[in-house]
Amino acid sequence: MSTTYMDDEDCPADRSVYRVEFMEGGSVRVFCFDPQQVDPKLETCKKAEALPEWMQKRLAVLLVMEYDPPTKIIKGIGRRIDKNVF
């Protein structure tokens, strides 16, 4: 799941980092920061329900977090950057 930055401790080298943005109309934009690990199914997701279950679960955790800066990293989950970006 997505954050724009995570310490090495919070983001092991064998994991990709994703940026997830909820758009108007309920669509979702997913960007993977590791072009070697891009899952084409993620890049074409239009609705949150179409995201993989592992990503939906992490987003559910982040949705209850505050989004006023500074935001906190949840180890193994990610960070909520603002109201619609994770």
Side-chain angles (χ1 to χ4, degrees):
M1 172 108 34
S2 156
T3 61
T4 56
Y5 171 81
M6 294 181 87
D7 296 328
D8 289 340
E9 178 183 39
D10 294 324
C11 185
D14 63 339
R15 288 192 169 176
S16 296
V17 176
Y18 294 90
R19 179 184 188 276
V20 178
E21 181 176 4
F22 287 88
M23 311 297 288
E24 282 189 36
S27 63
V28 180
R29 182 184 307 163
V30 178
F31 175 79
C32 180
F33 285 92
D34 182 356
Q36 304 266 334
Q37 300 294 326
V38 173
D39 181 348
K41 292 179 207 164
L42 284 177
E43 291 192 333
T44 59
C45 285
K46 302 293 183 203
K47 299 285 183 186
E49 302 84 37
L51 294 172
E53 187 175 336
W54 65 266
M55 188 175 278
Q56 288 182 40
K57 287 179 179 181
R58 287 179 172 98
L59 284 169
V61 171
L62 294 173
L63 280 166
V64 299
M65 301 300 296
E66 293 289 328
Y67 54 86
D68 293 323
T71 58
K72 297 184 185 223
I73 294 172
I74 306 298
K75 190 171 182 171
I77 303 291
R79 175 191 288 180
R80 186 170 191 173
I81 302 301
D82 67 26
K83 184 175 180 179
N84 297 313
V85 179
F86 304 86

